[in-house]
Amino acid sequence: MGPVKTTKEQYAAMAKEASRSSPSWKNIPLAFLSGGLICMLGQGLLELYQYLGLNLDRASLLVSVSLVFLSVLLTGLGVYDRLAKHAGAGTLVPITGFANAVAAPALEFKSEGMIMGLGAKLFAIAGPVIVYGVAASWVYGIVLIFLGHGGMQ
């Protein structure tokens, strides 16, 4: 039996039938609200840490660490994915979305063991991000040096 021959019109009809439209009237406000709530949580943590006596730099650092920790914890418990299913793109707020994107695929391989499964997959996913992030920071630093803003006298 050879390959099935379809015309462009048949293919377009099949593609239209297979793809479903996204209810933007619902998804856009949900993404805005859920992303806003995550950002509000970050701002609340910042205020809390400053209230507890940390300066702005240390409080900001602790907010980032807290949001990554919460994101990975909720991913591990299966809560983050259920939340993202309903909240949509709002859960892609950079720091929490990145933490989820690194942790979720790694968890799929935990049955292969902590080192060869979870650990190896975690670094396979995070590795390119770290490499490109470090390379971009070098390029940015070199540009700043040539522009006279690099702090080198």
Side-chain angles (χ1 to χ4, degrees), residues 10-81:
Q10 289 172 321
Y11 181 78
M14 288 188 317
K16 185 176 181 177
E17 183 180 329
S19 64
R20 61 185 179 129
S21 64
S22 175
S24 297
W25 59 269
K26 179 183 115 185
N27 290 346
I28 293 170
L30 253 152
F32 179 78
L33 288 173
S34 58
L37 287 172
I38 292 171
C39 292
M40 280 178 48
L41 172 64
Q43 185 64 39
L45 288 170
L46 181 68
E47 299 293 330
L48 173 67
Y49 295 146
Q50 285 183 309
Y51 177 78
L52 294 175
L54 295 174
N55 65 25
L56 180 61
D57 287 340
R58 290 184 186 238
S60 298
L61 177 66
L62 197 53
V63 168
S64 297
V65 171
S66 299
L67 289 174
V68 167
F69 172 77
L70 288 171
S71 179
V72 171
L73 177 66
L74 294 176
T75 298
L77 296 173
V79 174
Y80 198 94
D81 290 335

Side-chain angles (χ1 to χ4, degrees), residues 135-150:
S137 68
W138 274 78
V139 170
Y140 183 68
I142 291 169
V143 168
L144 285 178
I145 289 170
F146 282 121
L147 293 175
H149 302 291

